[in-house]
Amino acid sequence: MERRAYGNTDMQVSILGFGGAEIGNKDLPTVEKLLHSALDAGLNVIDTAECYGNSEELIGKALAGRRSEYYLFTKCGHASGLDYPDWDPVLLEKTIDRSLQRLQVDYVDVIHLHSCSEEILRQGEVIEVLKKAKEQGKTRYIGYSGDTKDALYAVQTGVFDSLETSVNIADQEAIDLTIPEALQRGMGVIAKRPIANVAWQHDTLSEQDYAYPYWLRLGELNYDFLTDVQQGVETALRFTLSTPGVATAIVGTANPGRWQQNAELLAKGPLPQEAYEAIRRRWKEVAGADWVGKV
């Protein structure tokens, strides 16, 4: 699988990464199959968070013995069972240590602040906690995970090595707002939700469904390639990875065979420039002012 430089870090990351949000309620044998099949397919990025259920613990148990084969990213900021308010500096220190214990590692490659607001970032304390964790060797790099103007402020502080943000056919704000700024500062960029939660596969969705905003947008965008679900997945994934500056895209799945399938899709390389620009033009024609990045 193709690998790309991750900003100014020393990491060469696979263009496809494993997103750990969906495994938090799975059993260990299932997670072992998922993770080992991912590594065997050439993925070398595993991204999780303190608030993804048992995701960190399952990753730690499932991949004992293969630590040298992948880069490990996690996030901090939410209390997730600890009796502190979100973003409390003491909470951050405790959840970082808890993440290392759960993952059964001495360090991770990146810790991202998880969707922290600009208001809290401006106070500076959360940034200092991450800097301290880096100095102590608990993480090699620090980053920000989020979208819209919060992410823009985080990027413009110049203190982060990594930006994790939403980029897909239904969520393109970051392509103009934050990614160019991140590239100017040598940050690695990881795309979350690269296939827009495959929202187009549903005839209808509840307003409470996680993918509902994307489902609404795609109904208006009406891309012709979405008439076939599989073609839609291929085009959507290749679009995200054709976006200048995106180094890797994280996908979550419960199907161990999906990694090899996605790797085969990506073997075709970037979308032709004409196809990429057509998707961008359609977005600019249709997107409303409220079509901001989905946190």
Side-chain angles (χ1 to χ4, degrees), residues 152-169:
L152 180 61
Y153 177 79
V155 169
Q156 291 176 338
T157 64
V159 302
F160 295 109
D161 305 298
S162 174
L163 171 67
E164 182 172 330
T165 196
S166 298
V167 185
N168 61 60
I169 58 173

Side-chain angles (χ1 to χ4, degrees), residues 242-257:
S242 298
T243 297
V246 171
T248 183
I250 53 169
V251 177
T253 182
N255 179 0

